[in-house]
Amino acid sequence: MSIVEALGWAMASRFRPHGRSHVYRQGRTGRPILVTSSERDGFVRVFGWKFLAHVVGFMAAVIIAAMFTAHFYPRGDEPGGFVMMGGLLLAIGWYLYASVKWAMDAPGRALANRPTFKSGEAS
């Protein structure tokens, strides 16, 4: 297992082994969908890269927000700077949540047309 695949552990938790295949459930509670092991590995690997990109993007966004705040409030002890930085961090956090959720739901969108897996048979 590569480091990138290890970073995809959150995505891997949405797949449960079933013989030589895996069963995917969106949000761990969605309808079960049978996928091959190679499809599962692909989803995990892609999410690992996306997770790494989210970490880098988050760090860059926080640095940019701090620079932006410092530009308008250079002394660093003004209440407006605290409010601005707090608002920017709130916006960054919301965007990060929405973006990670979108990335985590990628298999559900890709597998939307697959039949539901029931009792060992696809129906």
Side-chain angles (χ1 to χ4, degrees):
M1 176 187 323
S2 70
I3 292 174
V4 171
E5 289 168 340
L7 292 173
W9 68 269
M11 178 64 74
S13 71
R14 293 191 173 196
F15 293 89
R16 295 285 176 237
H18 182 77
R20 293 185 179 189
S21 302
H22 287 82
V23 175
Y24 169 76
R25 287 181 176 267
Q26 185 167 330
R28 295 187 196 117
T29 58
R31 68 184 183 90
I33 301 171
L34 190 66
V35 297
T36 65
S37 291
S38 62
E39 287 174 318
R40 178 241 183 229
D41 293 345
F43 286 125
V44 170
R45 192 176 313 107
V46 167
F47 182 76
W49 281 110
K50 287 181 181 182
F51 179 81
L52 193 58
H54 279 94
V55 169
V56 171
F58 173 73
M59 291 188 307
V62 170
I63 291 169
I64 290 168
M67 292 172 62
F68 189 73
T69 302
H71 176 73
F72 289 103
Y73 298 96
R75 281 192 4 229
D77 62 350
E78 298 97 343
F82 178 77
V83 171
M84 177 182 275
M85 189 64 184
L88 290 172
L89 288 176
L90 187 64
I92 291 167
W94 180 86
Y95 179 79
L96 180 65
Y97 169 78
S99 183
V100 169
K101 182 165 178 19
W102 179 261
M104 285 292 289
D105 292 343
R109 291 187 303 276
L111 302 170
N113 294 329
R114 292 252 182 115
T116 300
F117 179 75
K118 291 184 182 176
S119 304
E121 299 293 327
S123 61

